[in-house]
Amino acid sequence: MTPAEPVEATPPPTAADGKIPPGQRGRAALILFAAIAAGLFAYLSMTLPLGRALQPLPDPSLVIEDSSGRPIARLGGYKEPPVEVAKLPDHVGQAFTAIEDRRFYSHPGIDPRGLARAMVVNARAGRWVQGGSTITQQLAKNAFLDSRRDLTRKGKEALIALWLELRLSKDDILSRYLSAIYFGDGVWGLRAAARHYFDKPPEELTLGEAAMLAGIVKAPSALSPTRNLDGARKRARLVLSEMSAQGMITERQAHQARLPRPRRGRDPLPSGSWFADWAAPDLREAYGGRFGDVAVRTTLDRRMQRRAEQIIARALDGQGRRAGADQAALVAMRPDGRVVALVGGRRYQAGGFNRATQARRQPGSAFKLFVYLAALRAGASPESRVLDAPIDVNGWKPQNYDGRYRGEIDFRTAFAHSSNTAAVRIAQQVGPRAVIRAARDLGVRSPLQPAPTLALGTEETTLMELTAAYAAVAAGEYPVVPRATDEPLPGRRTRQRPLREHDELEELLAAVIDRGTGRAARLSRRAYGKTGTTSDYRDALFVGYSGDLVVGVWVGADDHSAMRNVTGGGLPARIWRDFMSGASGRARPAPLPPSVPDPEPVPPPQDLEILPPPDIVPGDLPPSVPPPEEVAPPPELPPSIPPAG
C-alpha cells in the first residue's frame, strides 16, 4: 500500500500583482468593523447602566419646612417613579411617538430619513435648528450624555441608541424615555408631569392632556402650560393633528379633544430663600436618592425669621440709608449650632448671594475674642494687666480708634473698650500661633496668617463661622457646627471648655455690653457680645448671645465702600438688641459641672508684658493648625486704623 503523500496547503488566491483581491478586502473590512462594533457594545454593556433613566434625580425635590412643619421653599427637580407604557392608555404613548418619532416602531434606533431632513433644515438656517434624533437617541442623550450639540456627541448618541435597541424592547425604550424626559417647571418624567400639571396619575390622562404633555417636550420652558397656556394649547393641537394624520385617532376625535387648563397637584412654593439655599447641600446629601417631593423639617423659626427680615429692612431704610450702609446680614442660632434665622441681605429676590454665609469680610475687633482666649489659656485672667499705649511692631504702629491711651489697665477694661494696642501686645506675648489655634478650636476655618495684624481682625471670615465661634463660648464646648436640622451631625466630636476659661470669657464679653463699646446692645437680661469695625468703616459687626440664642449681625456695602461713621457698637448693636428683645427669653442652659477639669495645669494669673516680636516661621505651627501661606513682612496699613468697634 502506497503511503499517502502530504498535501500542501493551498495559498489564498491573489491577483497577478500579489495584492489581496477586492472581494477578500471587503470581507476583511467587514470582519474588522464587526469586531470593533462588538467591542464597543461590550464596553457600553459594562459601563452604561440600563436603569439610569429609571433612577431618582441626583438633585431631588426638597420641600424645606420650618420647625413647625410649614413649607417655606421647594428646591431641586421633581421626579416620580417610572411609568410602564403597557399600563398607560394607548393615546398617551401614541401622542409622544406621533410628534417626536413617527417611525419609532420601525427604525433600529436611528432614522436616516429624519437625519436627512434635519440636515437640510440646518443647512438652510445656517445654524443648528433640528437634531433629527429618534426617541431612542433622546433617551441615550438624556440618560448618558450631556446637552452639547456637536458631531461628536451625535456620534455617541447614535452608537448608544443602537446598543439600546439591541438590549431593550420598543416598549421598554419608550417607558424609560417617558420616565426621564423633562417637562418644564423643574419636572422630570411623565408621572411627575401628570401630577404637577393635572393632579392625576398618568394612567388617567385624557387625550387632550396627553397631547399637551407630549407637546411640551420640544421646548419645556417656553411651552409649560403654567407659563404659556396659549402656546401649550397650540402645540397640543399640532400633536392631535399628527396623531390623526398617522391613523392613531380619527379626525373627529382630534377635533373634539378637550384641551385642559393646568390643575396643579402641588402647592406653589418659593424656589429658594436665604435659609433654604444655605441648608440645601447638606440636606441633599442626607435625603438624596428619593422620588417625589421629599419633605424635610428644619430648625428655622418662622417668627424669628420674619422678625429678622423686618428689623434688617427697617434699619437699612432708616439709619443705614443715611450712613451709606447698603446691606446687612444676620445669623441666629442656638448654642448647639441649630440655625433658627438667617438673613443674607436686603432682599432675597434681588439676588441670592448670601452675605452671611458666602461673603468673607474682615471681622475687626470681633476677632479679639480669640486673642484673649489664647491669653486665658496661657494663664491670664480678666484681672491681668496690660499696657494700653502706642506700640511699634517692625514699623507697624497701630493706634486706638479714639486716640486715647489709658496706660496700664486690666484685661476686662481693655476688652470692653476694644483697645487695639492692648490686643496687639497680648497677641505678641502669646504668639500668633496660639491665637490661630484658639480660632481653629472654636470652629473658624477661613485662611489665617500669623501676621501681627491678625490681632485686629484683618483676616477675612464669614459671619456664619464667626457666630458659630461665639456659640461655642455660649455652649461651653467646641467646635459648634451650624446645622439646619435637629439631628446631630454624624461623626461630630466636641470638647468641653474648662469652667474657669468659660466663666472668664463671659466676664470679658459681659463687660463690653455693660460698660464698653457695646452699650447700645443692652437688654433687660444678662447679655454677652463683642463689637467689630474695620478700616474706613467698611464693615461693622456685633456678635453675642443671651439666653439660649446666639446672634451675629454685619452691616456694610457690597462694593466695600466706606460708611459714614458706622461702628459695630452703633447700627449693628441696635439691630442685635432689637432682634434679641423679642426673640428669646428662655434661660441659659445649665453651666458645665465644676468637675470638668482643665486639660493641663494652668499657672497662676500673671501680668503680661510686651516681648520682642517672635520670628514667624510658616511651617512652625502645631499639627492641629493648618500651615499658613508664605508670610511676608507685616504689610503697611493704610493711614486709617481699624476702629475699636
Side-chain angles (χ1 to χ4, degrees):
M1 184 174 179
T2 305
E5 296 183 0
V7 179
E8 295 183 1
T10 304
T14 60
D17 58 0
K19 296 183 179 179
I20 299 177
Q24 192 165 350
R25 288 202 304 271
R27 287 193 298 273
L30 184 61
I31 293 172
L32 178 62
F33 175 80
I36 293 174
L40 288 173
F41 286 151
Y43 172 77
L44 293 175
S45 298
M46 292 185 293
T47 58
L48 298 183
L50 276 175
R52 180 174 293 176
L54 308 179
Q55 297 172 355
L57 295 172
D59 180 14
S61 174
L62 295 178
V63 177
I64 310 298
E65 299 177 344
D66 64 16
S67 58
S68 67
R70 296 177 61 182
I72 60 172
R74 179 183 286 114
L75 306 176
Y78 176 50
K79 185 178 182 181
E80 291 283 1
V83 299
E84 295 182 37
V85 169
K87 296 181 179 180
L88 300 175
D90 290 342
H91 58 253
V92 174
Q94 290 170 347
F96 286 87
T97 57
I99 195 65
E100 289 295 316
D101 189 358
R102 65 175 60 192
R103 284 178 287 277
F104 172 70
Y105 282 99
S106 61
H107 64 62
I110 301 174
D111 185 2
R113 292 169 60 184
L115 286 173
R117 182 184 66 252
M119 291 176 63
V120 171
V121 172
N122 293 336
R124 289 175 177 174
R127 57 189 177 90
W128 197 288
V129 177
Q130 291 186 7
S133 295
T134 64
I135 281 178
T136 314
Q137 288 176 275
Q138 292 183 55
L139 173 61
K141 177 187 69 175
N142 294 331
F144 306 110
L145 300 173
D146 55 38
S147 58
R148 289 179 302 173
R149 290 187 171 186
D150 54 40
L151 292 178
T152 301
R153 197 217 69 188
K154 293 297 292 184
K156 294 178 181 178
E157 180 184 293
L159 184 62
I160 296 174
L162 293 173
W163 172 71
L164 289 173
E165 292 278 350
L166 291 174
R167 296 291 303 275
L168 301 171
S169 69
K170 286 290 187 178
D171 279 358
D172 284 340
I173 291 173
L174 184 57
S175 296
R176 281 165 165 77
Y177 168 80
L178 294 176
S179 298
I181 199 69
Y182 184 57
F183 285 92
D185 281 9
V187 176
W188 299 81
L190 181 62
R191 188 173 301 280
R195 178 62 61 192
H196 176 74
Y197 290 115
F198 304 121
D199 194 21
K200 61 173 57 177
E203 291 81 5
E204 299 178 7
L205 289 172
T206 65
L207 176 60
E209 291 167 344
M212 185 170 287
L213 291 180
I216 293 175
V217 175
K218 178 183 179 182
S221 298
L223 296 174
S224 168
T226 57
R227 302 181 182 182
N228 181 9
L229 182 57
D230 289 341
R233 284 178 166 174
K234 182 178 180 180
R235 179 71 174 171
R237 284 295 176 197
L238 177 61
V239 173
L240 292 170
S241 176
E242 286 293 324
M243 294 177 70
S244 174
Q246 296 173 40
M248 297 174 177
I249 58 174
T250 65
E251 289 187 9
R252 182 177 180 181
Q253 286 176 311
H255 179 72
Q256 293 181 344
R258 180 175 175 273
L259 298 182
R261 285 183 172 274
R263 186 174 61 254
R264 287 181 179 269
R266 301 188 300 161
D267 293 333
L269 289 172
S271 59
S273 70
W274 301 120
F275 180 88
D277 293 352
W278 165 74
D282 288 339
L283 297 181
R284 289 192 184 107
E285 185 176 348
Y287 296 94
R290 306 185 188 187
F291 286 112
D293 284 328
V294 182
V296 183
R297 184 169 296 192
T298 67
T299 57
L300 185 76
D301 186 298
R302 183 184 292 263
R303 183 181 65 84
M304 288 192 191
Q305 179 67 28
R306 186 182 302 112
R307 180 179 180 83
E309 292 173 357
Q310 291 172 347
I311 291 173
I312 290 291
R314 186 166 62 245
L316 291 178
D317 290 339
Q319 182 185 349
R321 186 185 304 277
R322 295 189 297 271
D326 298 331
Q327 289 289 353
L330 182 149
V331 176
M333 66 176 67
R334 300 299 180 191
D336 62 1
R338 290 173 295 151
V339 176
V340 295
L342 179 60
V343 179
R346 181 187 290 269
R347 290 180 63 251
Y348 176 81
Q349 292 75 13
F353 181 72
N354 195 324
R355 294 155 189 85
T357 63
Q358 296 174 282
R360 295 190 181 275
R361 309 292 288 250
Q362 292 181 352
S365 293
F367 194 85
K368 291 174 183 175
L369 171 72
F370 311 115
V371 176
Y372 282 78
L373 173 57
L376 295 178
R377 287 178 169 181
S381 75
E383 287 74 32
S384 295
R385 312 290 289 181
V386 63
L387 185 61
D388 179 22
I391 182 175
D392 186 330
V393 182
N394 296 336
W396 174 52
K397 300 177 181 180
Q399 300 175 15
N400 289 343
Y401 162 61
D402 56 6
R404 295 179 55 195
Y405 300 94
R406 297 172 176 82
E408 187 178 284
I409 56 177
D410 58 33
F411 273 28
R412 188 183 299 103
T413 301
F415 192 78
H417 293 281
S418 203
S419 167
N420 286 338
T421 58
V424 172
R425 278 189 164 86
I426 295 171
Q428 290 293 298
Q429 174 70 32
V430 299
R433 297 184 296 274
V435 176
I436 290 176
R437 178 162 189 169
R440 293 284 183 244
D441 285 347
L442 266 60
V444 175
R445 294 293 173 261
S446 294
L448 301 174
Q449 295 191 47
T453 57
L454 175 71
L456 302 187
T458 57
E459 298 297 314
E460 295 178 340
T461 64
T462 67
L463 182 63
M464 177 68 80
E465 67 179 337
L466 190 64
T467 306
Y470 278 72
V473 179
E477 62 180 23
Y478 61 90
V480 168
V481 180
R483 68 181 195 268
T485 62
D486 286 326
E487 290 78 9
L489 296 173
R492 177 175 177 262
R493 299 177 61 184
T494 60
R495 297 175 59 187
Q496 287 187 323
R497 180 175 298 102
L499 185 59
R500 178 193 67 83
E501 180 184 294
H502 171 80
D503 291 345
E504 290 176 345
L505 276 177
E506 287 203 329
E507 188 175 340
L508 296 176
L509 292 167
V512 173
I513 296 177
D514 290 343
R515 57 189 178 90
T517 57
R519 292 188 298 277
R522 284 177 179 169
L523 302 173
S524 59
R525 58 186 182 274
R526 194 65 164 165
Y528 311 85
K530 184 69 184 78
T531 56
T533 314
T534 62
S535 297
D536 295 331
Y537 306 102
R538 290 186 176 91
D539 305 275
L541 305 93
F542 189 91
V543 188
Y545 58 92
S546 178
D548 64 346
L549 193 61
V550 188
V551 177
V553 177
W554 166 85
V555 172
D558 286 340
D559 61 1
H560 292 262
S561 59
M563 297 178 287
R564 290 184 284 278
N565 299 319
V566 178
T567 65
L571 183 58
R574 284 189 285 274
I575 292 174
W576 186 91
R577 178 201 61 202
D578 292 347
F579 177 78
M580 293 290 284
S581 295
S584 173
R586 284 182 277 182
R588 285 282 308 280
L592 294 176
S595 59
V596 177
D598 285 347
E600 57 186 25
V602 177
Q606 58 184 3
D607 294 347
L608 295 183
E609 298 178 356
I610 182 65
L611 297 179
D615 292 332
I616 301 171
V617 182
D620 197 29
L621 294 182
S624 62
V625 181
E629 300 174 3
E630 186 69 20
V631 180
E636 293 185 6
L637 296 186
S640 56
I641 303 299

